[in-house]
Each structure stands twice: as structure tokens, then as C-alpha cells.
Amino acid sequence: LDVKSPGKSEQMMISALQQIWTCALCGGGGEEGLGLTKAQLADCCVVLALPDMFDRRFGAEVLNMLMQPSGLHFKAAILHEEAACATFGANTSSACVVDIGSERTSVCCVDEGMPMAGCRQLLSYGGADMDVLMHMILHRHEPAVRGLVRTVV
């Protein structure tokens, strides 16, 4: 979610998120959704995992959209950082979480369920860069790889 896109206000993005989530949950826009009604959302709770390097002010706007009657109007909502959610999902309270995305890699240390201040790193390379690297290595060592493939097959 790029909140700094030129020509796009935060309110436009919040409105787009609300419309996407409404279609996914209640249907609309040509989508079936989960079949919930807007009234049923008021009885539901939601957990939203936010990226570790996320503007907290924008997170507050998302929380308002989830809770207010003019928004999705959930009964309760929890916003938590992805790294902390990953540690809880792995049934541990402390870990070093490495998230390798397509374009970026983030590293965040979590201790007792709380991301540690000053221990976050955002690296400007990701999985797509690793693909390019592997492609270059395989082409550089092509004769050796061909011999290996013949022996395996």
C-alpha cells in the first residue's frame, strides 16, 4: 500500500480500501463476497496486520474506517505489526523476522511480542533481485550445470 503515491490523497486510499473490503465481505462490484450483510459486520471483530514500517497516522485512519458507522462498522478491531503477528503464528514470543518481498526485504527483531525499537532494517532488494542473481550465476556456470542436469536425468 503506497500511501505516498503522487496525486492520491490518504482519504482516497481509505475510501478505496473500504470499497474493496466491502466487496470482499458483503459482495458487490461483480463479486460474490463472503455473503455477509453490512448489519452482520457490526457483530464481527477484525485483526489487521500492518507492515512494520508503516505510517502510524495512516494506521489510525484505517482503524477509524474499520470502526466508524460510516465505515465498515466492525464490533472490534486490532491492528498489529506483521513481525509480531508472525512470531505469534510461529508459537514463539521472540524472534528475528525476515520478510523477503518481491522488491524489498525487511528485518525486524521481536522480543516478548513487541517489535524492538531501533532493530528494524529495510533493504532495497527482494525476491525479484534474487531471481536475476540466480539467472546470472546459472548462465556464468552453464557448462557445469548442463553436466549436472545430464547426470541427474
Side-chain angles (χ1 to χ4, degrees), residues 53-86:
M53 304 282 201
F54 199 76
D55 181 9
R56 300 210 186 280
R57 190 172 45 83
F58 190 70
E61 291 294 324
V62 171
L63 182 60
N64 285 337
M65 181 265 299
L66 291 172
M67 299 296 293
Q68 290 179 349
S70 60
L72 293 173
H73 198 235
F74 282 102
K75 178 180 180 179
I78 297 175
L79 275 64
H80 220 316
E81 294 180 7
E82 287 176 331
C85 292

Side-chain angles (χ1 to χ4, degrees), residues 97-114:
V97 179
V98 180
D99 180 9
I100 302 175
S102 176
E103 297 176 2
R104 281 179 261 181
T105 300
S106 67
V107 181
C108 182
C109 294
V110 178
D111 185 32
E112 297 301 323
M114 292 298 297

Side-chain angles (χ1 to χ4, degrees), residues 119-140:
C119 291
R120 295 180 181 148
Q121 291 290 319
L122 187 60
L123 308 171
S124 60
Y125 53 86
D129 299 302
M130 297 300 156
D131 291 344
V132 170
L133 176 65
M134 289 302 296
H135 183 75
M136 287 174 31
I137 290 171
L138 289 174
H139 275 288
R140 186 174 298 153

Side-chain angles (χ1 to χ4, degrees), residues 14-15 17-18 44 54 64 68 78 87 92 95 116 121 139:
I14 296 289
S15 177
L17 280 175
Q18 181 177 343
C44 295
F54 199 76
N64 285 337
Q68 290 179 349
I78 297 175
T87 59
T92 184
M116 296 173 63
Q121 291 290 319
H139 275 288

